[in-house]
């Protein structure tokens, strides 16, 4: 409502839609590969904070999780937080 005069009427009145999912197998494989390397990467800001066994178990389970195709959607936030922290030089103390 605060920006109603700045947004096209069609946008204001359209029905809500779910967040689009990424289902590209190559993308998901890259997410899983990156996530699997994070626990052992001493340069990662998350090093020492991740449960390597749990990450391996999620990846090894393959197939569908309760709500999605595979574990990539569960592990993507770890990959994104790692990249964000590296970008801004952040660490946990």
């Amino acid at each position: 409502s605060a920006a109603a005069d700045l947004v096209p009427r069609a946008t204001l009145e359209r029905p809500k839609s779910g967040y689009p999912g990424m289902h590209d197998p190559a993308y998901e494989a890259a997410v899983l590969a990156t996530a699997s390397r994070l626990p052992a990467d001493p340069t990662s800001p998350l090093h020492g904070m991740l449960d390597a066994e749990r990450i391996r178990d999620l990846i090894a389970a393959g197939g569908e999780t309760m709500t999605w195709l595979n574990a990539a959607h569960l592990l993507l936030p770890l990959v994104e937080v790692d990249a964000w922290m590296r970008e801004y030089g952040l660490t946990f103390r």
Side-chain angles (χ1 to χ4, degrees):
S1 294
D5 59 325
L6 303 173
V7 179
R9 189 159 194 80
T11 301
L12 289 171
E13 295 174 356
R14 74 177 176 211
K16 289 185 178 183
S17 61
Y19 187 77
M22 179 57 131
H23 302 289
D24 181 347
Y27 177 75
E28 291 176 352
V31 168
L32 294 174
T34 301
S36 71
R37 290 190 298 267
L38 284 180
D41 181 355
T43 67
S44 171
L46 302 176
H47 183 68
M49 298 180 65
L50 301 176
D51 183 341
E53 184 177 346
R54 180 68 177 132
I55 290 173
R56 277 192 302 273
D57 289 348
L58 283 169
I59 294 169
E64 293 185 11
T65 66
M66 221 155 123
T67 59
W68 210 262
L69 253 14
N70 63 35
H73 81 287
L74 297 173
L75 296 171
L76 181 59
L78 295 179
V79 172
E80 291 174 338
V81 166
D82 178 76
W84 179 77
M85 291 181 76
R86 288 177 193 257
E87 177 74 22
Y88 291 98
L90 303 172
T91 59
F92 286 105
R93 294 176 199 232

